């Protein structure tokens, strides 16, 4: 089983102690999306886990625990989102200089192949045009290229959940021509730094400019990094354009205090803060406690999110 931690919320940034408690306990309880009264037990023992994929914008709180994961023999790698946006969009992130420093430190600990840079989503506003993205991407690539080998990009999709949050920014439409223009420019920069550029869950074919579709949860990478040849299938709970293989996600929607306006996983900041306040690091559930109204379930709960944080 590949464990996703998590497309639905930033576990490394906000729930690291809980995650390590669940690893030690050997299981976690998960409420499947849209079935809040159902609870599934997810085994987390070493013999059950083929690899852990961490998704984060700030892994710094998780980093003190990585040595314990190493001692216990868990394979893992990071999908690390680092964009050029400021606090008007990514409202509760640390300063970018600190995030870049964290990226470099994490890569120095794990190796550049286990830290994948995500420059996503790419969105256009009156304050962030195509030229701005090109300049910002080039500046980040210059800082990060020695510490990663791959960058994954995606273009902003205005899900219904995030439309209200994004309304003040008035995001500009991204047609195929615009996406090709941006992608070609970023690919030229990436190639100059020997960075592999791929797209996440994008239907547009950018192979003509040298960009392939990504497999963010990637059995091929797991085999390369850890020598584990997995018999897995494409994740049928993702959008057709997503290349990820099947995984089990232990996160929860509406629980990330980063409050990034573009995030599909948070309906609104107030709800996510309320849920965050319900978090108990000692609980088997990420958010809240097991109540009498819960319906016990069994088996592995498959991810049902439609994009990647």
């Amino acid at each position: 089983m590949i464990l996703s931690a998590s497309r639905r919320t930033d576990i490394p940034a906000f729930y690291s102690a809980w995650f390590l408690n669940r690893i030690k306990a050997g299981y976690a309880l998960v409420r499947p999306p849209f079935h809040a009264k159902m609870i599934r037990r997810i085994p987390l023992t070493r013999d059950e886990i083929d690899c852990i994929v961490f998704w984060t914008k700030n892994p710094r709180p998780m980093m003190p625990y990585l040595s314990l994961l190493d001692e216990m023999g868990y394979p893992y790698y990071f999908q690390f989102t680092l964009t050029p946006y400021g606090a008007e969009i990514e409202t509760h992130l640390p300063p970018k200089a600190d995030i870049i420093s964290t990226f470099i430190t994490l890569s120095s600990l794990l190796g550049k192949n286990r830290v994948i840079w995500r420059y996503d989503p790419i969105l256009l506003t009156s304050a962030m045009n195509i030229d701005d993205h090109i300049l910002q991407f080039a500046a980040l690539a210059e800082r990060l290229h020695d510490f990663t080998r791959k960058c994954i990009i995606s273009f902003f999709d205005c899900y219904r959940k995030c439309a209200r949050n994004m309304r003040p920014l008035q995001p500009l439409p991204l047609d195929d021509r615009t996406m090709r223009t941006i992608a070609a420019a970023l690919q030229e920069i990436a190639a100059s730094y020997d960075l592999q550029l791929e797209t996440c869950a994008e239907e547009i074919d950018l192979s003509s400019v040298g960009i392939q579709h990504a497999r963010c949860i990637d059995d091929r990478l797991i085999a390369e990094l850890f020598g584990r040849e997995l018999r897995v299938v494409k994740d049928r709970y993702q959008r057709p354009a997503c290349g990820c293989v099947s995984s089990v996600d232990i996160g929860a929607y509406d629980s990330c205090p980063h409050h990034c306006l573009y995030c599909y996983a948070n309906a609104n900041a107030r709800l996510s803060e309320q849920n965050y306040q319900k978090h108990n690091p000692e609980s088997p559930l990420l958010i809240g406690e097991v109540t009498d109204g819960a319906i016990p379930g069994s088996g592995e709960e498959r991810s049902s999110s439609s994009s990647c944080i």
Side-chain angles (χ1 to χ4, degrees):
M1 176 180 73
I2 301 173
L3 188 71
S4 173
S6 159
R7 285 183 173 98
R8 301 170 186 164
T9 193
D10 197 327
I11 286 178
F14 299 107
Y15 303 107
S16 293
W18 174 85
F19 180 83
L20 264 294
N21 285 339
R22 301 328 309 155
I23 288 290
K24 292 176 183 178
Y27 76 98
L29 299 183
V30 174
R31 298 183 190 273
F34 318 116
H35 298 282
K37 290 187 177 182
M38 180 176 291
I39 293 178
R40 296 194 182 277
R41 181 185 176 100
I42 308 301
L44 300 180
T45 55
R46 176 63 190 86
D47 61 328
E48 291 282 351
I49 302 297
D50 294 301
C51 188
I52 304 167
V53 181
F54 291 113
W55 312 75
T56 188
K57 291 187 174 80
N58 178 23
R60 178 67 67 175
M62 174 68 77
M63 289 164 62
Y65 299 105
L66 296 181
S67 60
L68 179 59
L69 286 180
D70 293 336
E71 290 171 9
M72 298 174 74
Y74 285 88
Y76 59 89
Y77 67 90
F78 280 81
Q79 294 275 347
F80 191 142
T81 298
L82 208 171
T83 74
Y85 308 122
E88 75 285 355
I89 295 177
E90 295 174 335
T91 62
H92 287 75
L93 282 180
K96 293 296 170 155
D98 292 349
I99 299 175
I100 291 170
S101 176
T102 296
F103 192 107
I104 292 170
T105 301
L106 181 65
S107 175
S108 299
L109 287 173
L110 304 182
K112 64 191 297 183
N113 293 340
R114 293 172 67 187
V115 184
I116 297 170
W117 173 27
R118 302 185 66 85
Y119 186 92
D120 80 301
I122 296 170
L123 60 92
L124 299 178
T125 70
S126 59
M128 176 68 72
N129 60 29
I130 294 175
D131 289 339
D132 293 325
H133 271 292
I134 294 170
L135 289 172
Q136 295 283 0
F137 182 84
L140 288 171
E142 182 179 17
R143 294 294 305 277
L144 302 180
H145 73 276
D146 285 332
F147 304 98
T148 188
R149 71 173 189 178
K150 181 186 291 187
C151 178
I152 295 177
I153 64 173
S154 73
F155 296 96
F156 175 64
D157 291 312
C158 195
Y159 295 102
R160 185 171 58 184
K161 276 189 173 183
C162 61
R164 178 179 57 187
N165 295 335
M166 288 294 295
R167 193 174 298 123
L169 295 174
Q170 298 182 326
L172 304 176
L174 285 161
D175 56 25
D176 281 7
R177 181 177 179 181
T178 302
M179 288 190 284
R180 291 184 191 282
T181 298
I182 295 172
L186 300 193
Q187 168 62 8
E188 183 176 353
I189 295 165
S192 71
Y193 288 109
D194 197 27
L195 282 171
Q196 182 180 349
L197 200 63
E198 297 179 346
T199 58
C200 172
E202 293 292 342
E203 294 183 1
I204 187 171
D205 182 0
L206 297 172
S207 58
S208 61
V209 297
I211 301 174
Q212 303 299 322
H213 296 290
R215 192 180 294 183
C216 304
I217 294 184
D218 191 346
D219 56 317
R220 302 164 303 181
L221 178 61
I222 293 168
E224 176 188 335
L225 292 176
F226 308 112
R228 301 182 65 87
E229 298 287 345
L230 306 180
R231 298 181 62 183
V232 288
V233 297
K234 185 180 183 298
D235 194 333
R236 63 187 180 92
Y237 291 96
Q238 304 301 319
R239 290 183 296 176
C242 176
C244 288
V245 299
S246 181
S247 66
V248 176
D249 198 297
I250 58 169
Y253 288 122
D254 297 309
S255 63
C256 183
H258 281 320
H259 302 322
C260 300
L261 299 188
Y262 54 70
C263 182
Y264 71 90
N266 272 0
N268 61 69
R270 180 179 298 178
L271 179 59
S272 63
E273 282 295 335
Q274 290 172 350
N275 284 333
Y276 184 58
Q277 294 305 314
K278 297 176 184 177
H279 172 66
N280 174 7
E282 304 300 325
S283 172
L285 285 165
L286 182 66
I287 303 300
E289 308 288 344
V290 179
T291 65
D292 291 339
I295 302 172
S298 62
E300 297 174 0
E301 189 271 320
R302 298 295 183 182
S303 172
S304 62
S305 61
S306 56
S307 184
C308 302
I309 290 179

